[in-house]
Amino acid sequence: MQLRYSFRLYPDAVQRAALARAFGCARVVFNDVVQVREDARKAGEPFPTAGELSRRLITQAKRSPERAWLSEVSTVVLQQSLRDAEAAYRNFFASLKGTRKGPRVGPPRFKSRKDQRQSVRFTANARWKITEAGRLDLPKIGAVKVKWSRTLPATPSSVTVIKDAAGRYFASFVIETDPATDQARMPESDRAIGIDLGLTHFAVLSDGSKIDSPRFLRRAEKKLKKTQQDLCRKQKGSKNRDKARLKVARAHVKVADARREFHHQLSTRLISENQGIAVEDLSVAALCRTRLAKPVHDAGWSSFISMLEYKAQRYGRTLVKVDRFEPTSQTCSTCGTKDGPKPLHVREWTCSACGTVHDRDHNAAINVKVAAGLAVSACGAPVRPGAIPAQREETGSHGFPAGNRAA
């Protein structure tokens, strides 16, 4: 299983300038690939192959006066940018044919130098290394200081250097982990849990425990509003506007980092304590088109479920997704009577058949666990296997780090 380990980088002024050159050269090669392919499409000619593009846009371009500055960066950076463009076209054509899962994607677009997120990737043949002093030595950039929050479990196959909208630099390492070793690290458990995700409480578990919603965005709205107002008052194109934009970006990444840390801690705890986990397959995209859009985005359910998926696969746990149309909030968990739909303001209700008083969210969590077939797992019976999530692909030239944890 492939995982990413991200660490904060602290390049000096010279290294920041070298990284800026690498970002710019990678962007130019990507745009050249898009332009050549677009010209071939308009002329009705076959698309040039990756080998032809590499020879024309990298090898021959370095010898021309107009593109001689491409030699100032590592060739691997340029080759990886070409590969990103090729992958973008493959995804586009697969989406047109219907062979690609997920929403349809459009053709690759030109990248702008004004894009706030930039990244370049170095593979093993770039001869990058981690020095004895703990620095990341990159070709034609130098030894960059790294803030190591933990040790790498294996030798990385590649590293992606990323600059985000807040001006921070990250090194994202791709690690191939051993499933047997990861599963041995996690102690066996005979427990199973059902999770009901909500807005009042982020999660209510079938054992009765409730996890409050931190509401990171709501708590930071006042500061975000002020920074955004300051940005709107600055003249476009001025240096003061760039400074104000940076303040807005830093305020937003602070909220995103806090939310991501909360998701990681909660998902790791649930995975370590339970052998089987059941959640509802919520339609987050549909909920985000309602008046609940802001609190739904603030909760970040999709990100949390994605973390549960890859951690369950990594540590040999079972994650079962219950159909979103399962009447978990309408069914009595005691007698199984379906008592009909209820408005959202009804948080407690009494079963008309057996008279049991239910907490709406706790009752739904129990029904989620029962619907997933995990109710008997605590007694020693085998847990029904759930869907195994696909491995995560490598980040492209516009990837975003997943924080100081594997993602």
Side-chain angles (χ1 to χ4, degrees):
M1 182 179 181
Q2 283 189 341
L3 296 175
R4 280 195 171 271
Y5 284 70
S6 295
F7 302 92
R8 182 79 180 270
L9 293 180
Y10 294 92
D12 55 28
V14 177
Q15 293 168 347
R16 286 197 298 269
L19 286 172
R21 286 195 297 269
F23 294 147
C25 292
R27 182 185 66 250
V28 167
V29 171
F30 186 94
N31 290 342
D32 288 345
V33 174
V34 175
Q35 185 64 58
V36 170
R37 285 227 170 189
E38 185 65 18
D39 294 342
R41 183 190 67 82
K42 292 180 179 179
E45 300 174 353
F47 287 152
T49 63
E52 295 175 359
L53 292 173
S54 177
R55 183 172 60 256
R56 289 172 52 186
L57 303 180
I58 298 179
T59 306
Q60 295 178 1
K62 287 182 178 180
R63 301 169 184 170
S64 64
E66 297 82 7
R67 291 284 193 268
W69 35 265
L70 290 176
S71 302
E72 298 178 3
V73 302
S74 174
T75 305
V76 175
V77 169
L78 308 180
Q79 292 289 347
Q80 292 302 312
S81 183
L82 190 148
R83 289 175 180 269
D84 291 338
E86 290 292 313
Y89 274 106
R90 284 197 302 271
N91 292 335
F92 169 60
F93 293 132
S95 181
L96 287 179
K97 297 177 183 178
T99 57
R100 183 180 184 274
K101 295 182 180 180
R104 296 187 62 176
V105 296
R109 296 180 295 179
F110 293 106
K111 294 182 179 180
S112 172
R113 65 171 61 186
K114 296 181 180 180
D115 290 344
Q116 303 303 328
R117 296 190 182 115
Q118 304 283 345
S119 67
V120 290
R121 185 165 63 250
F122 297 88
T123 54
N125 55 353
R127 297 181 179 179
W128 60 271
K129 63 180 180 179
I130 300 175
T131 65
E132 295 181 356
R135 290 176 175 255
L136 178 62
D137 192 2
L138 299 172
K140 296 190 177 181
I141 293 177
V144 186
K145 181 181 177 181
V146 186
K147 180 66 174 180
W148 298 102
S149 57
R150 55 182 170 173
T151 58
L152 294 173
T155 303
S157 60
S158 68
V159 59
T160 303
V161 179
I162 303 166
K163 181 184 178 182
D164 66 3
R168 303 179 302 177
Y169 292 85
F170 292 89
S172 181
F173 298 92
V174 176
I175 303 293
E176 188 73 30
T177 61
D178 183 14
T181 304
D182 291 336
Q183 294 178 17
R185 290 172 48 197
M186 192 65 66
E188 290 291 335
S189 175
D190 59 353
R191 295 182 55 190
I193 203 76
I195 305 175
D196 178 69
L197 299 176
L199 298 177
T200 305
H201 294 90
F202 178 79
V204 178
L205 309 183
S206 57
D207 59 5
S209 56
K210 296 183 178 182
I211 300 164
D212 292 332
S213 181
R215 300 180 182 179
F216 297 105
L217 180 62
R218 289 290 186 186
R219 291 189 297 177
E221 273 186 328
K222 186 176 180 180
K223 182 178 181 180
L224 290 172
K225 178 181 177 180
K226 185 178 183 304
T227 55
Q228 189 65 49
Q229 286 176 342
D230 293 340
L231 175 63
C232 293
R233 295 189 181 103
K234 300 298 185 291
Q235 184 179 0
K236 292 186 177 180
S238 65
K239 292 185 177 180
N240 285 335
R241 186 176 178 87
D242 292 338
K243 295 177 183 178
R245 184 209 58 79
L246 196 60
K247 289 183 180 180
V248 173
R250 287 173 177 172
H252 277 286
V253 299
K254 188 174 182 180
V255 174
D257 289 346
R259 183 187 298 114
R260 189 180 304 113
E261 181 71 11
F262 169 73
H263 288 167
H264 270 298
Q265 291 181 357
L266 179 58
S267 59
T268 300
R269 179 168 69 86
L270 293 176
I271 288 293
S272 62
E273 294 177 354
N274 302 279
Q275 183 66 31
I277 298 176
V279 294
E280 279 187 297
D281 186 18
L282 299 173
S283 178
V284 178
L287 289 171
C288 290
R289 292 193 293 268
T290 66
R291 61 184 179 86
L292 299 175
K294 181 179 287 188
V296 170
H297 280 301
D298 193 9
W301 292 333
S302 296
S303 174
F304 175 70
I305 294 177
S306 298
M307 291 180 185
L308 286 177
E309 285 181 342
Y310 87 80
K311 290 180 182 181
Q313 179 187 5
R314 181 182 183 184
Y315 296 112
R317 304 306 203 197
T318 301
L319 179 67
V320 181
K321 290 186 178 181
V322 177
D323 188 80
R324 67 189 63 165
F325 299 108
E326 186 73 22
T328 55
S329 297
Q330 306 176 22
T331 306
C332 174
S333 59
T334 303
C335 64
T337 301
K338 185 177 178 181
D339 213 3
K342 302 165 186 63
L344 289 177
H345 71 271
V346 177
R347 310 315 302 172
E348 289 187 358
W349 58 281
T350 304
C351 177
S352 58
C354 64
T356 305
V357 179
H358 292 291
D359 178 271
R360 181 192 182 107
D361 297 331
H362 183 209
N363 177 75
I366 296 175
N367 288 331
V368 167
K369 178 180 177 180
V370 173
L374 304 180
V376 297
S377 62
C379 300
V383 176
R384 186 179 72 181
I388 301 299
Q391 292 185 1
R392 296 172 62 87
E393 297 179 356
E394 262 199 358
T395 305
S397 56
H398 269 274
F400 190 73
N404 290 333
R405 293 179 179 269

